[in-house]
Amino acid sequence: MLRAAIAEDVLAVANVIVESRRVFLPFAPSPHTIEEVQDWVAQHLLPTGGVTVALAAGRVVAVLATSEDDSAAWIDQLYVLPGFDGQGLGTKLLDHAHASVKRPLRLFTFQQNVGARRFYERHGYD
């Protein structure tokens, strides 16, 4: 199930981001503590209104954050909690982004993030 993130999701959204980065991006460790990430999620990310979460058994297990500027829409964050990857959650969130924001839709990912690059390439990004 997908839904818009709410204020009560701060801790869960921060956890998905921190744990996903820890497991899937060991080459780019976050310089921020979990508390700093929680504060950023509460003060900056969720107030944008462009955050969607995926739930499994009522638990936030994936996060999508989008934004728009004058020329494009952006995927700012797309993270899946380790252990829930490979179940189509990233695809559902990406499909949601395609259906809900203007085109073109752009994103950045680390060159070293081979898994993310393969995922996005499968969905038509190059």
Side-chain angles (χ1 to χ4, degrees):
M1 178 179 130
L2 302 182
R3 67 163 170 76
I6 57 175
E8 290 80 4
D9 294 329
V10 166
L11 297 179
V13 167
N15 182 61
V16 168
I17 292 169
V18 168
E19 285 303 305
S20 182
R21 284 191 59 120
R22 184 183 65 77
V23 171
F24 300 123
L25 304 174
F27 55 84
S30 176
H32 304 289
T33 66
I34 184 69
E35 293 82 10
E36 290 170 331
V37 174
Q38 290 167 350
D39 183 58
W40 173 76
V41 169
Q43 301 299 319
H44 300 285
L45 188 65
L46 291 189
T48 68
V51 182
T52 301
V53 294
L55 305 175
R59 176 181 176 202
V60 174
V61 296
V63 176
L64 166 74
T66 59
S67 62
E68 295 185 13
D69 62 26
D70 291 338
S71 63
W74 291 89
I75 293 176
D76 299 317
Q77 312 288 325
L78 179 53
Y79 290 104
V80 176
L81 191 65
F84 291 88
D85 53 304
Q87 299 178 26
L89 296 170
T91 297
K92 286 181 183 178
L93 287 168
L94 188 58
D95 288 347
H96 174 73
H98 289 158
S100 62
V101 298
K102 71 180 181 181
R103 298 294 179 113
L105 179 58
R106 298 186 172 139
L107 58 93
F108 289 104
T109 192
F110 290 106
Q111 184 71 23
Q112 291 174 286
N113 194 346
V114 176
R117 288 178 45 219
R118 277 195 311 252
F119 169 78
Y120 290 120
E121 288 168 0
R122 272 196 319 268
H123 290 89
Y125 292 83
D126 53 14

